[in-house]
Amino acid sequence: MPEISRFFGIIITMYYNDHAPPHFHVRYGQQKAIISIDTLAVLEGSLKPRTLGLVIEWAAQHQAELRNDWQLARQNAPLEAIEPLE
């Protein structure tokens, strides 16, 4: 599960050949969630409101890059790192 970004202790990853819809995985301590790239909705798991807000802010800024990484993952190609939230 390649890590594509990390900020404020939040780790963003994406699996190769993962199931649709396009999404990414978030880990922060014991919190875990799967977030839709297209809608930025939580598909599975949960994050505390502050953590979720940071993740959604980051994802909204990088949706095109997340879609690109999703396509690369579907082709088993190396994923590109995405700038962290600052």
Side-chain angles (χ1 to χ4, degrees), residues 18-67:
D18 211 349
H19 59 85
H23 63 273
F24 59 93
H25 297 253
V26 180
R27 284 192 334 255
Y28 181 66
Q30 299 300 314
Q31 303 171 58
K32 294 181 182 180
I34 297 175
I35 310 289
S36 167
I37 293 171
D38 294 327
T39 65
L40 303 181
V42 176
L43 300 174
E44 285 183 35
S46 65
L47 300 171
K48 291 184 180 178
R50 184 179 189 300
T51 306
L52 179 60
L54 292 170
V55 169
I56 297 305
E57 180 182 348
W58 171 83
Q61 294 173 13
H62 299 286
Q63 258 179 318
E65 294 162 275
L66 286 162
R67 285 187 190 104

Side-chain angles (χ1 to χ4, degrees), residues 1-6 10-18 23-27 33 37 58 65-66 68-82:
M1 162 174 56
E3 181 177 310
I4 56 176
S5 194
R6 181 186 295 241
I10 301 167
I11 301 167
I12 309 294
T13 59
M14 199 174 282
Y15 290 104
Y16 287 101
N17 291 318
D18 211 349
H23 63 273
F24 59 93
H25 297 253
V26 180
R27 284 192 334 255
I37 293 171
W58 171 83
E65 294 162 275
L66 286 162
N68 182 60
D69 269 350
W70 178 263
Q71 291 305 319
L72 291 171
R74 302 296 285 176
Q75 300 166 16
N76 287 317
L79 303 185
E80 297 177 4
I82 299 176

